[in-house]
Amino acid sequence: MNHAGVAILILCSRCFAVTIDHLEVPSVVELGTDSIVLDCQYRTTSPMPAGLVMKWFFNGSSGLVYQWIPPLPPQVIGILKGKVDIGFRISAEPLQAYRAIKILKPTTDLSGNYTCVVSTFIQEDQRTRDMIVYSPAKNFHFFQEKKYVFLVTLICKAEELYPKPDMAILSQGKPLEQAVVDTKMNSWGLYSVTAIAEVHDDDVTGASEEFVCRLSLPNTNYTKLLSTIYYAGSIPTTHTVYGVQRPQHRQASSGTAINYSQSLGWIFITFLALRR
Ligand SMILES: *[C@@H]1O[C@H](CO)[C@@H](O)[C@H](O)[C@H]1NC(C)=O
Ligand SMILES: *[C@@H]1O[C@H](CO)[C@@H](O)[C@H](O)[C@H]1NC(C)=O
Ligand SMILES: *[C@@H]1O[C@H](CO)[C@@H](O)[C@H](O)[C@H]1NC(C)=O
Ligand SMILES: *[C@@H]1O[C@H](CO)[C@@H](O)[C@H](O)[C@H]1NC(C)=O
């Protein structure tokens, strides 16, 4: 390019200027939300800047998901394909109309970084924001299993969570160190989690104690609590024995000698209780 050309570009750089003022991306969205809008609010200094292109990327520069070159219609690409209201216009102005993306029924796999890039022939601006689509708990339960006189097993479970959950069983506000937490991901990318803690009557302060199961999803404000009160010295019962498999496994691995005639008795009572 000759000097005159450079001078013209410098003098006229305002003709092509583009600036992103604000990137509106909801940081936390609950799964099941009807729709959300990601809005890239930009400004151009000329009414028809040469070569205006706007693009949205998901999780970095290789994840193009949306492209709009006014006055052509926008294109939805990649992970957002089929999930966007293609007729959605956020503004009546021709250079602003399709700058935003309306995502219908956002799913957890859309959690990540969204980058808006707006460019003209000589200038470019970009902004990135994070979004997390979380899945609240299904089947969140906290219960006691009382099979031995001096011992109670506390079990807390929850399913279909996203992102990877944190679970703790608390006694007087402090997590029980002996709790074993097991987290699994299913083929949909959702997590189930179980926390199990055995508490000996000697460790129970007073005649009874309240235990709390705390479930939370990191980087969201989602926290749920369930509590149960254990009465020390209570008689073994069968009414909470629904999780049959895992407790049997724990009996075997805990090193306690199993009194088969006793266990068979409990299984029989459970069987009778369930039949009712
Ligand atoms: C998302 O953005 C954050 C900070 O903006 C960055 O640390 C992280 O690596 C990005 N993740 C991906 C997958 O691009
Ligand atoms: C996008 O990046 C986030 C981290 O920023 C990560 O948790 C998520 O799994 C990524 N999503 C995909 C589909 O790669
Ligand atoms: C979490 O809750 C606090 C207080 O209600 C609020 O100020 C904050 O913005 C929330 N954070 C998110 C990520 O929703
Ligand atoms: C097992 O339990 C039964 C019934 O409570 C009792 O009669 C028996 O003595 C116990 N056996 C052992 C080995 O503890």
Side-chain angles (χ1 to χ4, degrees):
M1 198 181 286
N2 61 30
H3 291 294
V6 171
I8 287 167
L9 273 185
I10 289 168
L11 285 175
C12 200
S13 65
R14 283 178 55 82
C15 313
F16 305 97
V18 60
T19 315
I20 297 173
D21 290 325
H22 184 63
L23 183 60
E24 181 87 42
V25 173
S27 56
V28 180
V29 176
E30 184 173 328
L31 182 68
T33 301
D34 220 46
S35 68
I36 51 166
V37 172
L38 316 188
D39 186 10
C40 182
Q41 297 166 13
Y42 62 87
R43 203 162 18 111
T44 57
T45 40
S46 91
M48 195 60 226
L52 181 68
V53 178
M54 86 162 305
K55 291 178 179 170
W56 283 88
F57 295 89
F58 173 70
N59 274 7
S61 56
S62 59
L64 182 65
V65 288
Y66 187 92
Q67 174 170 290
W68 182 40
I69 305 171
L72 301 174
Q75 285 174 281
V76 182
I77 302 140
I79 196 169
L80 287 187
K81 205 157 188 164
K83 300 181 176 176
V84 169
D85 177 355
I86 197 84
F88 178 70
R89 295 198 324 164
I90 200 153
S91 162
E93 281 184 52
L95 284 186
Q96 299 284 339
Y98 293 105
R99 65 168 198 233
I101 313 178
K102 183 174 179 183
I103 301 177
L104 305 172
K105 295 258 177 241
T107 43
T108 54
D109 58 322
L110 299 184
S111 302
N113 286 349
Y114 287 84
T115 305
C116 171
V117 180
V118 184
S119 54
T120 63
F121 281 142
I122 61 156
Q123 214 188 12
E124 178 174 291
D125 197 7
Q126 69 171 64
R127 293 261 184 115
T128 299
R129 271 180 177 276
D130 223 53
M131 179 173 90
I132 187 152
V133 182
Y134 73 92
S135 174
K138 295 253 170 62
N139 302 323
F140 181 30
H141 298 297
F142 185 32
F143 54 95
Q144 305 175 15
E145 272 186 1
K146 181 70 182 172
K147 304 172 84 194
Y148 305 104
V149 180
F150 298 116
L151 200 66
V152 66
T153 305
L154 304 170
I155 302 174
C156 192
K157 293 176 177 232
E159 293 175 349
E160 298 193 25
L161 298 150
Y162 186 90
K164 196 174 180 187
D166 284 334
M167 183 178 266
I169 296 177
L170 312 175
S171 157
Q172 297 174 344
K174 288 208 194 80
L176 291 178
E177 280 172 13
Q178 73 269 33
V180 176
V181 181
D182 182 30
T183 309
K184 289 198 177 71
M185 191 177 84
N186 70 15
S187 53
W188 300 94
L190 301 177
Y191 294 89
S192 61
V193 58
T194 306
I196 299 181
E198 283 182 344
V199 176
H200 201 272
D201 281 3
D202 291 347
D203 299 324
V204 172
T205 49
S208 69
E209 181 164 349
E210 181 184 48
F211 294 95
V212 173
C213 177
R214 184 182 63 201
L215 170 67
S216 54
L217 298 175
N219 303 317
T220 71
N221 264 349
Y222 182 89
T223 300
K224 288 274 188 272
L225 305 173
L226 284 177
S227 70
T228 183
I229 294 172
Y230 172 63
Y231 297 90
S234 58
I235 298 161
T237 56
T238 54
H239 67 271
T240 49
V241 188
Y242 354 103
V244 180
Q245 296 220 311
R246 191 169 281 277
Q248 279 179 342
H249 171 71
R250 287 190 67 79
Q251 269 183 353
S253 65
S254 64
T256 316
I258 303 167
N259 184 331
Y260 283 103
S261 66
Q262 204 174 27
S263 332
L264 284 174
W266 287 121
I267 289 168
F268 183 60
I269 291 166
T270 307
F271 174 68
L272 288 181
L274 288 172
R275 268 171 59 103
R276 260 196 256 127

